[in-house]
Amino acid sequence: MRATLALETDLAGAWLPAGGAHLSAPHRNGKKGRRMSEAKGTGSDIAVLNDCLGRVAAAADRGAFMQLFDHFGPRLKYFLLQKGCTDGEAEDLVQDVMLTVWRKAKQFDPGKAAASTWIFTIARNRFIDTKRRERVMVDFDTCPEAEQVSEETAEDEITQSELAADVAVAMAELPQAQAEVIQMAFIDGKSHSEIAEELGVPLGTVKSRIRLAFARLREVLESHR
Amino acid sequence: MSVANSQTLKASQNAPQNIPKHRLGDEWLVGLASGTLSEGEAMFARTCLSFVPEAANDLALAQTLGGAALERAPQAALKADARASLLAALDGAEMEPATSSPAPSPAPRKERQQGGVMPAVLQDYAGGDVDRMKWSYLGPGMKKVRLWQNDKGQTLWMLRAQPGVKIPEHTHEGTELTLVLKGSFHDAFGHYGPGDVEETDNSHTHDLVIDEGGECICLALTDRPLKFKGWIARAMQPFIGL
């Protein structure tokens, strides 16, 4: 129970839409060279969510499952609304995604991804499935050419969860213009040219912002090797 | 020259080991992970990634970014009974065992050719390797096959060109991406071998020359039909059908 409270309060600052100083302030880590996942909050939040999913897998723990629902449900609904679902469709899909989370919980591999990553992937695939926007399913779990490589470079559970925490911190510290395009791609589901159109900037600008943001993440990844 | 060619040939035989020098930009990883690419774009990106040794890590990183974006997403209030209906639905929902993921990846198509020119992911999509494609005439020493096209004219196609062939100066209304699957070519921007990707946009007009030493097979993604500058090429264009 205490874990739930900690989770909800620590993430409170990050619920607001992208933009403004509140995004970077709570997690900013002034000391260079210090592990970012030691920064207050984020690391333990990810651990709490992973732990919930673990409890669902191990013991069909409904309390833990509803904790996941309370955390991800409203975010998933926002995500689906942004993608053009009606309110009713979004509600149905949230139920559908969460049921999939329940059913497939035992297949969740904390060594491979954080709970948020895994759930995001399920939601995205489920949405793509519905809209048939893309015939080619892109799922790194079922991507044979990717799987080949992951055997050799598999990272352990702790590192993955630390990585997710550090990525979250890095995201919060990105310049606003970069964080915005990342958010628009993943949450609003907009293509690069749609983003360019909406922001009124050239396509090349959108691409370079994403590249810069990703370069920062690569640095984070490097620190885990 | 001959040394470079023999290296290129060797590289094409061992495509997965060849480390591409010219990579697809990271924005494509974000596109893949966010599910915002068109079918042709997704196929192009996945084929490029099959040449990149650390592709799995790159994709995993992009997906982690998706998770982080979800954490940062605003919340939309759910209906008051959403919790109750989900709890009720759990009664009828059986949990799948850890190991059995029902058909995690589609079974390899029987047409897939081991060690073919086209990476497995592209073979599965196109229904076999280059020899099973229905190549048609594009120009002297050049053949093409169209794999996909959407209503906006975005096209995923393959080019098969003989050594020494010069592809006429052309411009693009949108962007053109070219991935070398076999052989190599060069143009004003550099030299491209297996796994290398060239991205050009409307500011570029370029001639492209296929290197001596072997045929060159490329996967290309174009936004809109190409415009060739030479009058012969222009006259031919209606028949080329790109």
Side-chain angles (χ1 to χ4, degrees):
Chain A
M1 212 51 219
R2 175 179 279 179
T4 319
L5 285 173
L7 171 69
E8 298 303 332
T9 41
D10 282 355
L11 286 182
W15 287 350
L16 300 163
H22 62 271
L23 286 175
S24 52
H27 297 306
R28 190 171 288 285
N29 178 4
K31 219 176 183 180
K32 222 181 170 183
R34 188 178 148 201
R35 285 303 287 266
M36 281 195 296
S37 47
E38 288 167 18
K40 189 175 170 283
T42 319
S44 60
D45 298 337
I46 285 165
V48 168
L49 292 168
N50 276 9
D51 184 55
C52 285
L53 203 41
R55 281 177 8 234
V56 173
D61 184 332
R62 293 187 176 207
F65 179 70
M66 293 319 284
Q67 211 171 315
L68 288 171
F69 173 75
D70 291 339
H71 182 75
F72 287 111
R75 291 177 172 81
L76 288 171
K77 183 174 176 185
Y78 178 86
F79 165 75
L80 293 162
L81 287 174
Q82 287 302 103
K83 292 212 161 210
C85 291
T86 64
D87 194 81
E89 284 169 350
E91 289 278 346
D92 289 350
L93 273 170
V94 169
Q95 296 271 326
D96 195 279
V97 168
M98 290 308 297
L99 276 176
T100 306
V101 168
W102 173 265
R103 275 196 291 258
K104 293 189 183 293
K106 290 181 179 173
Q107 290 159 25
F108 170 67
D109 178 358
K112 234 174 177 178
S116 59
T117 306
W118 192 68
I119 292 173
F120 175 80
T121 307
I122 289 175
R124 193 214 49 191
N125 284 352
R126 191 67 195 82
F127 175 79
I128 289 171
D129 217 18
T130 316
K131 297 286 168 183
R132 298 204 161 275
R133 178 166 186 178
E134 187 187 1
R135 204 178 84 196
V136 193
M137 286 282 275
V138 186
D139 182 343
F140 68 103
D141 283 339
T142 63
C143 184
E145 68 275 17
E147 216 164 305
Q148 231 176 8
V149 188
S150 67
E151 292 291 316
E152 302 157 19
T153 52
E155 285 164 290
D156 65 356
E157 191 174 322
I158 307 287
T159 311
Q160 269 305 330
S161 137
E162 277 176 7
L163 172 66
D166 285 358
V167 164
V169 174
M171 275 277 278
E173 291 181 344
L174 285 178
Q176 163 60 12
Q178 291 173 27
E180 180 181 48
V181 291
I182 295 289
Q183 229 35 44
M184 286 174 87
F186 281 104
I187 302 305
D188 304 345
K190 294 199 186 304
S191 70
H192 302 152
S193 38
E194 286 165 347
I195 295 172
E197 205 170 301
E198 191 168 321
L199 295 179
V201 299
L203 180 60
T205 306
V206 172
K207 288 183 180 179
S208 67
R209 283 179 190 170
I210 296 178
R211 284 181 193 179
L212 285 168
F214 211 85
R216 176 72 196 103
L217 293 172
R218 283 192 188 281
E219 287 172 27
V220 171
L221 182 69
E222 284 307 312
S223 72
H224 284 270
R225 286 203 171 131
Chain B
M1 196 64 187
S2 64
V3 174
N5 280 333
S6 68
Q7 277 170 349
T8 306
L9 279 174
K10 197 176 169 213
S12 72
Q13 283 154 10
N14 306 305
Q17 278 76 46
N18 181 54
I19 312 243
K21 295 185 298 288
H22 305 276
R23 298 280 182 92
L24 202 59
D26 286 336
E27 71 275 15
W28 288 84
L29 291 170
V30 168
L32 268 180
S34 59
T36 53
L37 300 182
S38 68
E39 182 179 320
E41 288 170 337
M43 204 56 232
F44 186 85
R46 292 190 63 191
T47 309
C48 291
L49 286 181
S50 63
F51 285 89
V52 177
E54 62 278 15
N57 276 333
D58 285 353
L59 262 180
L61 187 60
Q63 303 226 0
T64 305
L65 193 52
L70 184 62
E71 285 291 347
R72 287 164 57 89
Q75 303 184 63
L78 289 157
K79 281 193 301 199
D81 63 350
R83 241 176 162 266
S85 38
L86 182 60
L87 270 169
L90 291 186
D91 293 330
E94 286 212 11
M95 290 176 80
E96 294 172 13
T99 44
S100 113
S101 36
S105 57
R109 301 228 195 151
K110 60 178 185 294
E111 298 92 347
R112 194 196 280 181
Q113 191 184 314
Q114 290 295 319
V117 170
M118 289 155 68
V121 61
L122 188 60
Q123 285 198 40
D124 287 353
Y125 180 74
D129 200 19
V130 286
D131 294 335
R132 292 187 68 110
M133 301 295 111
K134 292 193 176 86
W135 296 94
S136 57
Y137 182 79
L138 175 64
M142 291 187 283
K143 286 176 178 174
K144 56 111 170 101
V145 60
R146 193 166 87 184
L147 301 178
W148 172 90
Q149 187 167 55
N150 69 4
D151 51 5
K152 292 172 197 147
Q154 194 180 42
T155 309
L156 182 71
W157 56 288
M158 289 198 296
L159 168 75
R160 186 171 200 169
Q162 294 307 306
V165 161
K166 186 174 171 185
I167 297 177
E169 194 178 350
H170 57 288
T171 58
H172 308 283
E173 276 186 28
T175 54
E176 180 187 52
L177 285 136
T178 311
L179 165 71
V180 180
L181 301 175
K182 180 189 179 187
S184 59
F185 72 80
H186 62 270
D187 64 12
F189 307 108
H191 187 259
Y192 298 82
D196 284 331
V197 184
E198 183 184 51
E199 183 169 4
T200 49
D201 63 27
N202 50 11
S203 58
H204 301 121
T205 299
H206 66 160
D207 281 339
L208 204 148
V209 182
I210 308 300
D211 291 335
E212 297 293 343
E215 67 171 347
C216 180
I217 299 179
C218 298
L219 179 68
L221 182 76
T222 37
D223 270 358
R224 286 186 197 95
L226 298 185
K227 285 193 171 162
F228 290 102
K229 278 199 154 180
W231 68 271
I232 295 181
R234 238 187 236 175
M236 251 168 39
Q237 208 191 356
F239 307 104
I240 293 173
L242 287 170

